[in-house]
Amino acid sequence: MAFLVSDPLYLEHQAAGHVECPDRLLVILEHLKKSGLLAKCEPLAARDASVDEIALVHGRDYIDSVRWMCERGGGWFDADTYLNEKSYAAAVRAVGGVLAAVEAVRDGRGRTAFCLVRPPGHHATPSRGMGFCLFNNVAVAARFLQRRVLIVDWDVHHGNGTQDIFFDDPEVWYLSTHRWPFYPGTGREDERGAGNIMNIPIPEDVARPAFLSMLKEGVERAGREFQPEFVLISCGFDAYARDPIGGLGLEPEDYRVMTDIVRSLGAPVVSALEGGYSLEGLGPCAEQHLRGLLA
Ligand SMILES: [Zn+2]
């Protein structure tokens, strides 16, 4: 059994023609239904995060500015990052969806959960939305848990926002595999924080087995040195070989292996969607990931 979190509000954050689009969730849900996996999951209702919960990682001025922009119909934080009139509500519920999952798993109602949330979060810094991200869903959940949390971020982009938030906070470890050099430009190996940041920059032409063994080595080291009580996955599927804006040569079945690597730590796992933009690849990649969460 794995919990599955989603919510219709996640579909209402949108901008015409933008690659970070509601269809991303729809193709995943449709594929999971067709493959029979949806029936093996227990649906878990998302909730709204409170402002105090979002303020565990974001400044209140920033939270207010997101709400304010949406109340006025939306706008753009940068060339990539849009808000419409529903984005604040969707982002509050995206954080809350991951919180609902960590509450359920923390309380022993299950061992794993997959949160199909939008907008994504890992580029959002304490004071700024960027890279399609408004609030850092996974970072809020990590602070909320108040235990030894390892965040594994296998999105093809480095999660600069998550790194910023935990750079001086050894209570949370952050392990990221990401294409290098690439957007957003952070994630060098020597960015180590308080010893709790493990960046694994990866060349674009990496072979799949080499990628998997780098991830495995990193996860095993985090397991040995940190002994996490809880694992959160910043689950981007944009390292998939045919992703239109990312790509790192991965095939859907690699996401099963990656999930197994993380689960070998033995800790409960809550995974939250970050990037992934191939409408034909998202479903098969999510299926393989969920098979690992269900195992
Ligand atoms: Zn990404």
Side-chain angles (χ1 to χ4, degrees):
M1 194 279 282
F3 289 113
L4 191 87
V5 177
S6 200
D7 193 285
L9 196 47
Y10 301 153
L11 305 174
E12 298 197 31
H13 167 71
Q14 59 175 307
H18 199 288
V19 71
E20 203 291 278
C21 61
D23 279 350
R24 298 176 58 236
L25 291 195
L26 293 174
V27 297
I28 292 176
L29 286 165
E30 192 182 333
H31 184 91
L32 295 181
K33 196 170 177 185
K34 258 195 237 161
S35 61
L37 284 197
L38 205 57
K40 295 185 180 169
C41 297
E42 187 165 321
L44 183 71
R47 64 172 176 85
D48 288 330
S50 68
V51 170
D52 284 346
E53 287 166 339
I54 299 169
L56 289 169
V57 310
H58 293 292
R60 287 175 192 269
D61 287 352
Y62 170 62
I63 299 168
D64 284 345
S65 75
V66 176
R67 197 190 66 238
W68 184 89
M69 278 179 75
C70 295
E71 281 170 1
R72 282 154 186 77
W76 294 77
F77 277 141
D78 59 30
D80 301 323
T81 312
Y82 64 88
L83 306 93
N84 69 358
E85 67 281 1
K86 294 294 179 63
S87 299
Y88 179 76
V92 164
R93 196 161 298 172
V95 176
V98 183
L99 292 180
V102 301
E103 284 168 331
V105 171
R106 176 199 65 192
D107 296 346
R109 286 182 271 150
R111 287 293 284 176
T112 60
F114 187 25
C115 307
L116 288 172
V117 296
R118 293 179 60 249
H122 74 152
H123 294 304
T125 76
S127 59
R128 189 160 74 104
M130 59 178 274
F132 315 162
C133 300
L134 301 183
F135 299 141
N136 198 317
N137 309 312
V138 165
V140 174
R143 277 268 159 78
F144 174 85
L145 272 164
Q146 292 189 303
R147 42 191 89 182
R148 282 198 312 279
V149 177
L150 169 65
I151 298 171
V152 176
D153 183 339
W154 63 44
D155 189 280
V156 79
H157 304 97
H158 181 244
N160 60 295
T162 311
Q163 172 169 297
D164 263 18
I165 289 162
F166 297 110
F167 206 69
D168 300 313
D169 179 358
E171 301 298 311
V172 172
W173 274 38
Y174 176 66
L175 164 64
S176 175
T177 55
H178 45 273
R179 183 164 138 184
W180 178 271
F182 207 43
Y183 180 89
T186 51
R188 289 194 323 268
E189 211 171 340
D190 63 0
E191 296 165 18
R192 294 206 173 93
N196 59 323
I197 306 290
M198 295 174 63
N199 283 317
I200 306 177
I202 296 183
E204 184 184 357
D205 61 354
V206 68
R208 290 162 59 202
F211 174 92
L212 294 171
S213 66
M214 283 189 271
L215 177 73
K216 185 162 187 274
E217 269 173 43
V219 168
E220 285 175 352
R221 199 192 114 203
R224 257 189 334 268
E225 296 181 15
F226 183 55
Q227 295 167 338
E229 298 169 300
F230 212 104
V231 180
L232 301 176
I233 300 179
S234 264
C235 184
F237 293 116
D238 44 8
Y240 169 66
R242 286 164 293 286
D243 188 276
I245 67 165
L248 203 46
L250 298 187
E251 294 296 335
E253 55 268 35
D254 295 320
Y255 287 93
R256 172 64 199 266
V257 179
M258 291 151 67
T259 309
D260 289 348
I261 288 169
V262 171
R263 291 212 63 201
S264 72
L265 290 168
V269 177
V270 171
S271 173
L273 185 67
E274 299 281 2
Y277 306 97
S278 164
L279 295 179
E280 52 88 20
L282 274 166
C285 290
E287 175 192 340
Q288 293 300 319
H289 177 47
L290 187 53
R291 286 191 187 282
L293 292 177
L294 284 163

